[in-house]
Amino acid sequence: MNENDTVATEEIRVGDNDNLSAHVANLIRSGLVGCITDQKGLFTADPRQDPEARLISDITSSEIPEAVWQAAGGSANGLGTGGMMTKLQAADLARRSGAMVVIARGSDPDVLLNLADGERIGTRFHPVATALEAGNVLFLQVIVR
């Protein structure tokens, strides 16, 4: 999903591509959302600055731990709208609508094929609801506010 590819954005502006993909995943009841980035996944700290940073491979709890939110930080290169923080927000939204979310490095060979095949790559956010339980309530809440 790329919000920047639309002809008119004022009426549909979500704010970033990650959250847009989470909303679309909810609407179509997708079982998998891939958030592609320049990092292997979400780390305990910025791996470019902290050699002790470790990849967080799975988030299974119903609430994303505060330490994970802190580790997400913001956009380091200034190119994105929010870097890992928006990927984490999108992951939280999409998993509440029944989707598995994976944050993975886009430059890895065959990353999308591996993702679709269920390979354990990147950081995986396990769903906390089924698509049937979630319905389309999440998308409607965002539009209404």
Side-chain angles (χ1 to χ4, degrees), residues 1 8 14 17 21 35 40 53-54 62 69 73 76 78 80 85-86 93 104 108 110 112-113 115 125 131 133 136 143:
M1 303 264 87
V14 174
N17 298 325
S21 66
C35 290
K40 189 175 178 180
R54 294 180 333 263
S62 61
W69 287 102
M85 183 59 78
T86 60
L93 177 62
D108 288 349
D110 298 322
L112 295 178
L113 292 173
L115 191 67
F125 295 81
E133 290 170 328
N136 288 331
I143 295 299

Side-chain angles (χ1 to χ4, degrees), residues 2-80:
N2 192 337
E3 184 176 64
N4 303 328
D5 289 342
T6 58
V7 176
T9 61
E10 188 172 328
E11 306 83 30
I12 62 166
R13 185 118 175 105
V14 174
D16 63 85
N17 298 325
D18 300 316
N19 280 298
L20 177 61
S21 66
H23 292 308
V24 171
N26 180 48
L27 283 173
I28 65 171
R29 293 190 169 101
S30 174
L32 178 65
V33 174
C35 290
I36 305 304
T37 186
D38 63 346
Q39 293 295 315
K40 189 175 178 180
L42 182 62
F43 286 80
T44 55
D46 187 340
R48 296 169 289 208
Q49 298 176 5
D50 185 350
E52 302 288 319
R54 294 180 333 263
L55 178 69
I56 301 169
S57 58
D58 286 283
I59 302 290
T60 58
S61 57
S62 61
E63 295 297 325
I64 295 176
E66 183 60 32
V68 174
W69 287 102
Q70 292 300 319
S75 177
N77 62 15
L79 296 176

